[in-house]
Amino acid sequence: MFKIGRNDACWCGSGKKYKNCHLSFDQKLENYAVMGDEVPEHYMIKTPAQIEGVRRAGIVNNRILDLVGEMIKPGITTEDINTLVHESTIRLGGIPAPLNFEGYPKSVCTSINEVVCHGIPDPKRVLLEGDIINVDVTTIVDGYYADASRMYCIGEVSPEASKLVRVTKESVELALKEARAWGHLGDIGAAISQHISANGFTVVREIGGHGVGLDFHEEPWVSHIGTRGTDMLLVPGMIFTIEPMVNAGKPDVVQDDEDGWTIYTKDGSLSAQWEYTVLITEQGPEVLAR
């Protein structure tokens, strides 16, 4: 599987000989592969320099979401949020990754109530008392990407909406406990789906988390429904998002035919999402953006 000479430079870019750097690591991966595990390729494992780059991007991404939290309230428009995100990103030395990505027209996604994800900011959409909104920010800093989203409750919301937002965040925190080196992606999906189901909600199946860091979307794909001990092995250096989309009703979704982006719950029920960018380390998960 790994064809590097012992005295060759290590694939991670450390400048060390392979035998003094990642040889034992790769041998461990080979042993897991022999036992039938799906193991990540080298390109899914970030180098120390790359990790530090994503970490810097995460700091900027978190600050932008903090600023959104400071200004969001009834009466503002989703375009106001877009303006804040765009201008803040530039001021903080970043680039808003969503802008012009595959034709997406704005710098942030704003998904309200029954919108599951990819809601497009609109100067005509005013936030109202009782709305719940997901603001999804992805920032590029010096070529590195960080991706996170938060839910915001606008004024006083219904008990169902409040519970949905809370339980969705709880599921991400439970998933973090499963994001351990030498565990499996299926452990993450199992933790999320079990908690969501126990609280009477459903998990969107078609849309998942993803690798991130050197590009907007990388491998692996991260399902939020899973079985423990299955799917790809989690190894130190992997960076990906955990971002369950949770519906109050059925899990089915539909895409807006006109804008080609906005995803809605099929039954019109409320939906919520929280997203973290997570680094796998030997010491446990590190949240790089939340």
Side-chain angles (χ1 to χ4, degrees):
M1 181 178 178
F2 304 108
K3 305 298 182 183
I4 303 174
R6 292 173 57 85
N7 292 310
D8 292 341
C10 188
W11 55 264
C12 75
S14 66
K16 298 178 182 179
K17 290 183 178 180
Y18 181 49
K19 65 183 180 182
N20 297 324
C21 195
H22 270 88
L23 175 58
S24 61
F25 175 87
D26 283 349
Q27 289 173 335
K28 189 170 185 177
L29 288 188
E30 287 185 352
N31 290 336
Y32 274 101
V34 168
M35 292 187 293
D37 284 291
E38 179 185 358
V39 301
E41 299 291 340
H42 284 162
Y43 70 85
M44 297 185 206
I45 302 169
K46 303 297 189 289
T47 68
Q50 292 168 344
I51 291 168
E52 184 55 36
V54 181
R55 189 178 281 120
R56 291 195 303 270
I59 291 170
V60 174
N61 206 79
N62 290 345
R63 178 56 183 153
I64 294 165
L65 284 165
D66 288 343
L67 292 170
V68 171
E70 293 170 7
M71 65 90 71
I72 203 165
K73 61 182 180 180
I76 70 167
T77 69
T78 51
E79 182 61 31
D80 292 332
I81 298 172
N82 182 72
T83 298
L84 173 72
V85 169
H86 183 88
E87 293 180 351
S88 299
T89 303
I90 301 303
R91 176 172 53 82
L92 293 169
I95 299 170
L99 184 61
N100 299 319
F101 175 76
E102 297 184 354
Y104 187 79
K106 300 291 182 175
S107 295
V108 66
C109 295
T110 52
S111 303
I112 304 174
N113 297 337
E114 76 280 4
V115 177
V116 176
C117 62
H118 303 160
I120 300 174
D122 183 346
K124 296 180 180 178
R125 182 46 166 107
V126 177
L127 294 184
L128 305 174
E129 183 92 8
D131 283 338
I132 58 172
I133 178 172
N134 177 268
V135 179
D136 191 345
V137 174
T138 307
T139 308
I140 310 169
V141 176
D142 299 329
Y144 296 101
Y145 292 70
D147 188 5
S149 75
R150 299 179 190 174
M151 292 297 300
Y152 301 92
C153 294
I154 307 305
E156 186 174 346
V157 303
S158 69
E160 178 188 50
S162 179
K163 180 182 177 182
L164 178 66
V165 170
R166 172 179 56 80
V167 168
T168 303
K169 187 173 185 181
E170 288 172 352
S171 76
V172 178
E173 294 293 335
L174 289 170
L176 272 180
K177 296 179 180 179
E178 304 292 341
R180 299 186 297 266
W182 315 111
H184 295 81
L185 277 175
D187 305 341
I188 290 172
I192 291 170
S193 57
Q194 287 170 5
H195 187 65
I196 295 305
S197 177
N199 281 276
F201 300 130
T202 60
V203 180
V204 173
R205 299 159 296 191
E206 297 89 341
I207 310 169
H210 53 87
V212 69
L214 307 184
D215 205 347
F216 203 152
H217 299 106
E218 305 171 2
E219 292 187 68
W221 188 72
V222 180
S223 175
H224 300 118
I225 297 173
T227 301
R228 284 184 169 80
T230 67
D231 210 334
M232 185 175 287
L233 191 71
L234 301 175
V235 307
M238 294 177 71
I239 298 178
F240 52 82
T241 67
I242 300 175
E243 50 176 306
M245 300 166 201
V246 178
N247 296 346
K250 295 181 179 180
D252 308 283
V253 299
V254 293
Q255 186 175 53
D256 190 301
D257 290 331
E258 292 187 12
D259 67 38
W261 282 99
T262 309
I263 305 294
Y264 298 90
T265 57
K266 188 173 183 179
D267 60 8
S269 62
L270 294 174
S271 187
Q273 178 195 22
W274 293 83
E275 178 181 15
Y276 294 176
T277 292
V278 178
L279 165 68
I280 302 298
T281 80
E282 288 283 10
Q283 293 72 41
E286 178 185 345
V287 180
L288 302 180
R290 71 168 83 208

